[in-house]
């Protein structure tokens, strides 16, 4: 049985005609209208980006070794803000939401002693109302020794007078690298309003000079990414997609 090819050819002809008509109409649109359309389109793209960036998630990079070996210098994180914080990107304006961190959870926060500096990443050790004591190289919470398999080095109290009772709506945090972490043992607890989120996944990790991740080092950071493309061996492939 033969199939008549005309219906298919007819549809193709009508589609070509409709496309030609559309192109003619687009060509007749004034340049001013085209520019307005572009501006509106980019406005919505920017608005969606700001909403996602301000309320759902953001990217962070680890610039120091205070959380080794849980987090290494050059680890790139996806941070979740869902339930913890909402704010306007690239500003210090933000509001805390309903979720509170749990003990031994890794959090990201604005350092209370210098809110204009880059965010800190530490681990929650003490919750509001807890009594923290540090002696014999270990941490004690409410009289019980805290089991910590993630730490590097011995825990010392440093500048903080012990025992320390965590104030209401505040959290005692420490870095996992106990001998190289500027944390609550030096400057006190983190107010809940300063906590902005928690890391959920490592999406990239580069073993390059730590200087590349310092604030303002745009040139060094560019060369670090370019070097990763040319020399994939500096990528820590075994760390990518690790979750928390």
């Amino acid at each position: 049985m033969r199939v008549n090819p005309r219906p298919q050819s007819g549809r193709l002809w009508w589609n070509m005609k409709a496309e030609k008509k559309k192109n003619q109409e687009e060509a007749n649109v004034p340049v001013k209208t085209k520019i307005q359309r572009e501006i509106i389109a980019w406005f919505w793209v920017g608005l969606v980006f700001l909403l996602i960036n301000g309320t759902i998630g953001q990217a962070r990079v680890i610039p120091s070794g205070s959380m080794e070996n849980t987090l290494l210098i050059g680890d790139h994180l996806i941070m979740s803000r869902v339930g913890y914080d909402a704010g306007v990107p690239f500003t210090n304006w933000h509001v805390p939401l309903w979720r509170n961190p749990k003990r031994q959870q890794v959090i990201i926060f604005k350092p209370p002693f210098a809110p204009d500096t880059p965010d800190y990443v530490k681990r929650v050790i003490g919750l509001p109302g807890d009594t923290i004591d540090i002696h014999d190289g270990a941490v004690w919470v409410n009289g019980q020794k805290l089991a910590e398999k993630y730490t590097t080095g011995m825990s010392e109290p440093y500048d903080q007078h012990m025992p320390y009772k965590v104030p209401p709506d505040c959290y005692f945090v420490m870095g996992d690298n106990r001998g190289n972490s500027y944390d609550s043992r030096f400057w006190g607890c983190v107010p809940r309003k300063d906590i902005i989120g928690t890391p959920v996944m490592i999406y990239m990790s580069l073993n390059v000079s730590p200087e590349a991740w310092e604030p303002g080092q745009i040139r060094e950071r560019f060369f670090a990414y370019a070097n990763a493309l040319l020399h994939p061996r500096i990528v820590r492939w075994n760390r990518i997609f690790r979750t928390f």
Side-chain angles (χ1 to χ4, degrees):
M1 179 182 295
R2 291 187 175 181
V3 179
N4 191 341
R6 291 182 181 178
Q8 184 176 356
S9 299
R11 285 195 299 270
L12 180 61
W13 182 80
W14 279 109
N15 289 338
M16 292 176 62
K17 185 176 181 180
E19 185 67 24
K20 184 177 180 180
K21 183 179 180 182
K22 181 179 178 181
N23 292 337
Q24 289 176 346
E25 291 177 350
E26 186 68 25
N28 293 330
V29 174
V31 175
K32 182 178 179 181
T33 302
K34 291 182 179 180
I35 294 175
Q36 289 175 343
R37 288 179 180 178
E38 286 292 324
I39 292 174
I40 293 172
W42 282 108
F43 169 79
W44 285 112
V45 169
L47 183 60
V48 170
F49 168 78
L50 291 175
L51 288 173
I52 292 175
N53 196 265
T55 61
I56 297 178
Q58 294 179 346
R60 290 291 188 275
V61 62
I62 302 301
S64 72
S66 67
M67 284 295 291
E68 294 177 345
N69 289 315
T70 304
L71 294 171
L72 304 181
I73 298 174
D75 280 353
H76 290 54
L77 309 176
I78 294 294
M79 177 191 75
S80 172
R81 300 183 70 156
V82 176
Y84 287 99
D85 184 86
V88 177
F90 315 116
T91 73
N92 287 327
W93 187 90
H94 66 111
V95 292
L97 300 179
W98 65 89
R99 294 180 66 183
N100 292 317
K102 300 176 181 179
R103 192 186 325 280
Q104 297 184 305
Q105 181 179 357
V106 178
I107 61 171
I108 299 173
F109 59 93
K110 295 183 178 297
F113 56 89
D116 293 331
T117 60
D119 300 334
Y120 273 30
V121 181
K122 305 292 180 185
R123 190 181 297 273
V124 173
I125 300 300
L127 304 178
D130 284 346
T131 298
I132 307 298
D133 202 358
I134 302 176
H135 58 82
D136 300 325
V139 177
W140 304 72
V141 180
N142 301 325
Q144 299 293 321
K145 185 178 179 179
L146 189 64
E148 299 185 285
K149 296 181 179 180
Y150 43 75
T151 58
T152 299
M154 304 289 284
S155 298
E156 299 293 341
Y158 294 121
D159 294 348
Q160 192 62 257
H161 177 72
M162 295 292 169
Y164 176 87
K165 187 173 179 62
V166 184
D169 207 30
C170 215
Y171 295 83
F172 192 91
V173 301
M174 297 172 66
D176 290 353
N177 187 355
R178 293 293 158 83
N180 184 30
S181 176
Y182 189 52
D183 51 39
S184 290
R185 294 172 293 172
F186 295 91
W187 39 259
C189 66
V190 180
R192 171 61 187 86
K193 64 181 180 62
D194 291 335
I195 298 174
I196 60 176
T198 181
V200 294
M201 185 183 70
I202 297 174
Y203 69 91
M204 177 58 69
S205 183
L206 301 181
N207 186 15
V208 299
S209 172
E211 295 180 359
W213 316 121
E214 294 295 331
Q217 301 298 323
I218 299 175
R219 178 175 176 273
E220 287 74 10
R221 189 167 298 196
F222 171 80
F223 283 119
Y225 293 133
N227 197 27
L229 293 175
L230 298 174
H231 307 285
R233 65 180 181 275
I234 70 174
V235 179
R236 302 187 187 105
W237 297 102
N238 63 325
R239 296 188 61 77
I240 296 177
F241 302 133
R242 285 194 182 187
T243 57
F244 295 85

